[in-house]
Structures are given as structure tokens and as C-alpha cells.
Amino acid sequence: MPSFLHTMLRVKNLEQSLAFYSLLGMHELRRRDVPAGQYTLVFIGFADNDAGQAEVELTYNWGQDDGYEIGTGFGHLAVGVADVAAAVERVRAGGGKVTREAGPVQFGTTVIAFVEDPDGYKIELIERAD
């Protein structure tokens, strides 16, 4: 059966990105430096693919420290959390950018918030009881 494995994001500062995603509870699962290609891949997540979880692949192209154009087609990543307001405060305390405070979606009751990682990728936090 097919399964969703990962989403790849290009980042300009790998350590800064890892610090941000750790605020959401993600951790490094594996890392691969590729000197011949001058890039580093770091897979992060809550658990790896073997546990049935999708991952985020952070790709750092060595020397590409000016960032990337995200484009108008990309929307956001969504992360389920037990307490959106608490997650927003962790991001804020860690120096992250909050672009929408915790609160219910328009015309609904689901609590969400939006934050941005150091490269400007939007992450929607969705409150989910686990």
C-alpha cells in the first residue's frame, strides 16, 4: 500500500531550522552529508517512517545561505498538537514568528494557529486530542 514518506524543504541555516522544529516536538531522525554534491540532508519528525509517520527532510545546500524563493504555490505544513496555545508560546519563547494566534477557525470550533520557520515556511498548528 502506498504511504506518504516526507516533504522536503530547502533551508539556509540547518541548525537554526533544527532548533525551530524542536520547539514543535520534532527531533532529528537521521542525517546524511554528501560532500560530492555539497549538501546535507536531515530528516526530522515525531517518529520515523517505520513507525508510520511522515517526515520532513531539511536540505541544506552548502553555501546557499541567502535563502530561497518559496513561491506562490506552496501553502503550509500542518502539525497536530495537544495544546495550540502552549505550542505558540514555545515558538514565541524560542524566537519564532507567530503569524496567527491560537483560536478557532472561522465558522468552526477547531483551534489553530500559524507560525513560520526561519526560512518563512508556514506551519499550521491544529489542536488534536491524542
Side-chain angles (χ1 to χ4, degrees):
M1 172 172 210
S3 63
F4 188 79
L5 297 177
H6 68 264
T7 296
M8 186 272 273
L9 301 175
R10 289 182 176 89
V11 301
K12 65 181 177 182
N13 183 314
L14 190 54
E15 297 311 314
Q16 189 177 38
S17 293
L18 288 169
F20 171 82
Y21 285 100
S22 73
L23 298 170
L24 301 177
M26 293 182 184
H27 60 276
E28 185 173 324
L29 302 169
R30 62 191 174 283
R31 178 185 294 241
R32 181 172 171 227
D33 289 318
V34 184
Q38 296 190 322
Y39 64 88
T40 299
L41 305 177
V42 177
F43 290 83
I44 61 172
F46 303 104
D48 62 24
N49 291 142
D50 293 337
Q53 291 281 318
E55 303 167 348
V56 175
E57 174 189 343
L58 301 177
T59 299
Y60 172 65
N61 292 296
W62 301 354
Q64 180 65 37
D65 302 325
D66 294 333
Y68 297 91
E69 292 292 326
I70 294 174
T72 58
F74 177 79
H76 62 269
L77 302 176
V79 175
V81 297
D83 184 338
V84 169
V88 164
E89 289 312 313
R90 281 193 305 277
V91 168
R92 184 177 282 119
K97 183 177 180 182
V98 177
T99 60
R100 184 201 192 270
E101 295 293 335
V105 297
Q106 188 176 20
F107 311 116
T109 58
T110 303
V111 176
I112 67 167
F114 277 90
V115 297
E116 286 184 9
D117 81 355
D119 291 280
Y121 293 109
K122 293 182 186 318
I123 296 94
E124 179 182 16
L125 304 174
I126 303 173
E127 197 157 282
R128 300 176 64 92
D130 291 332

